[in-house]
Amino acid sequence: MKTDLFDQLCRLQTLQKASRYVPDSEHKPDLTSLCQKLKSGMFRLGRPHFKEKSKRLGGVRLVAVLSPEDQIIGMAVAMVLAPFLDRRQPDNSYAYRLVKNAKSRHLFAPHDLKNRTCENWDEKDWYAHFAGTGRRWIETLGYAYVARTDVAAFADHICHGPLLVRLRKEIKDDQFLNFLATLLRAWHPTHVIQQDQGLPQDVELASFLGNYYLLPIDDRLVRLAHSGKIKYARYMDDLWTFSRTRDGAQRVQRQIERILRGLGLKANIEKTKIFKTDEILAMIDRQRAVC
């Protein structure tokens, strides 16, 4: 079925709503002019500049800084795209889920907050709810091992081609998808050599698409979870699978790594390992203390 996402993107009402999700700045874009440029094909996306930002648990990462116009366009694209893609995500996927409350000042939230009206949560809550689920499963269901898989330089290695191919199966609007492909090229991280690879960090649209990119892993693990062999939870590229035995945990981890290779990704060997549940609980407590 053909969709009209590009038409929705170009509407003044869409841009006005998207601007509510963007922090105030000294330069306030003229949304009427922006709307006209989009409709006429005259709008040109800018190149972000990148700066270092401290990670919550130590180290730094390069994050993108967009112009006010591009921030609004990015949120508008996310607004019209998310309803099609969020419904494909299982509840095991915790990060960047579409908020159902139209009055919320957030477009995305952790999956167990997406239906709430409460606005008193911040970035630290995203990971806390994910880790809290793991703790409950360990303490109430008696799992003995946790296989943790983390993707090496995840955002830098997301391939635009496979992402767009999958999106074209879900969305029948070539004009919108061509605009998205242009956006991905324009916002390509400058430190990534390949022009058709990499998503900018600290950009909500890019984070939402990155979460969607790992859907093949969800599809496989949901089937295993329904069979009763495992429990699993995923926060972006940080994936925990809960098993009764070490052999079971190793088998699942090998399956995940095979799927990652098919997506052009690989596991971070320093963070990918099998934990006993007392070790993972200690790790959760250490991270909570840092927060």
Side-chain angles (χ1 to χ4, degrees):
M1 182 176 69
K2 184 174 176 59
T3 55
D4 59 349
L5 295 191
F6 191 77
D7 177 65
Q8 292 180 47
L9 175 65
C10 294
R11 292 174 188 167
L12 181 59
Q13 299 94 317
T14 301
L15 299 179
Q16 288 171 335
K17 185 175 180 181
S19 69
R20 300 207 310 261
Y21 298 119
V22 174
D24 289 334
S25 66
E26 293 182 4
H27 171 59
K28 294 186 181 299
D30 182 338
L31 297 183
T32 301
S33 173
L34 186 56
C35 179
Q36 292 169 347
K37 288 179 182 178
L38 278 172
K39 289 179 178 179
S40 65
M42 298 297 293
F43 177 73
R44 295 293 179 265
L45 291 151
R47 288 287 296 146
H49 74 267
F50 293 84
K51 66 177 185 179
E52 290 187 347
K53 181 178 180 179
S54 298
K55 293 183 178 181
R56 181 169 52 89
L57 298 176
V60 297
R61 59 193 175 103
L62 283 177
V63 301
V65 180
L66 305 177
S67 69
E69 290 87 351
D70 281 13
Q71 288 183 55
I72 291 172
I73 292 298
M75 291 306 300
V77 171
M79 279 172 48
V80 298
L81 185 62
F84 289 86
L85 304 187
D86 184 74
R87 62 192 180 198
R88 292 273 283 116
Q89 296 282 350
D91 283 347
N92 308 69
S93 173
Y94 274 70
Y96 291 94
R97 303 304 305 275
L98 182 64
V99 172
K100 305 302 183 184
N101 176 16
K103 296 181 180 180
S104 174
R105 60 185 174 90
H106 301 284
L107 182 59
F108 299 113
H111 91 82
D112 52 353
L113 290 178
K114 66 182 181 180
N115 294 319
R116 299 184 187 180
T117 58
C118 177
E119 295 288 297
N120 296 321
W121 55 272
D122 60 26
E123 184 179 359
K124 293 182 292 186
D125 293 313
W126 291 65
Y127 197 86
H129 283 267
F130 162 73
T133 295
R135 177 179 284 279
R136 287 194 302 273
W137 287 344
I138 291 170
E139 293 176 344
T140 62
L141 300 178
Y143 285 95
Y145 293 93
V146 180
R148 184 189 185 192
T149 306
D150 185 88
V151 180
F154 174 50
D156 292 347
H157 290 98
I158 294 173
C159 299
H160 299 174
L163 173 62
L164 291 165
V165 166
R166 200 184 320 153
L167 286 171
R168 289 187 189 280
K169 295 178 181 179
E170 310 246 14
I171 295 167
K172 307 302 179 184
D173 187 329
D174 288 341
Q175 191 174 14
F176 177 84
L177 291 172
N178 290 339
F179 181 82
L180 178 60
T182 300
L183 180 152
L184 294 178
R185 287 194 298 272
W187 292 358
H188 162 262
T190 53
H191 59 280
V192 178
I193 296 174
Q194 292 181 253
Q195 294 293 312
D196 60 348
Q197 181 176 300
L199 297 181
Q201 297 194 56
D202 255 24
V203 175
E204 290 204 60
L205 170 63
S207 298
F208 178 74
L209 290 173
N211 199 41
Y212 171 77
Y213 192 73
L214 293 180
L215 189 62
I217 290 178
D218 292 314
D219 290 341
R220 175 57 182 155
L221 294 183
V222 164
R223 291 196 293 272
L224 288 176
H226 284 169
S227 72
K229 295 179 180 179
I230 65 164
K231 287 279 191 182
Y232 93 96
R234 177 171 71 81
Y235 181 88
M236 291 296 287
D237 61 316
D238 192 357
L239 177 64
W240 297 2
T241 56
F242 299 76
S243 303
R244 307 287 182 190
T245 66
R246 178 175 287 276
D247 285 346
Q250 291 173 335
R251 283 195 298 271
V252 173
Q253 197 161 62
R254 286 195 292 269
Q255 292 184 51
I256 293 169
E257 291 176 2
R258 266 198 308 272
I259 297 171
L260 287 176
R261 288 194 293 272
L263 294 171
L265 304 170
K266 60 182 180 180
N268 181 334
I269 58 174
E270 293 183 0
K271 294 183 179 180
T272 297
K273 58 186 69 176
I274 308 294
F275 293 89
K276 290 184 178 180
T277 50
D278 57 344
E279 296 172 323
I280 206 78
L281 289 174
M283 185 181 73
I284 290 172
D285 289 339
R286 288 195 300 271
Q287 292 178 347
R288 179 182 296 171
V290 171
C291 293

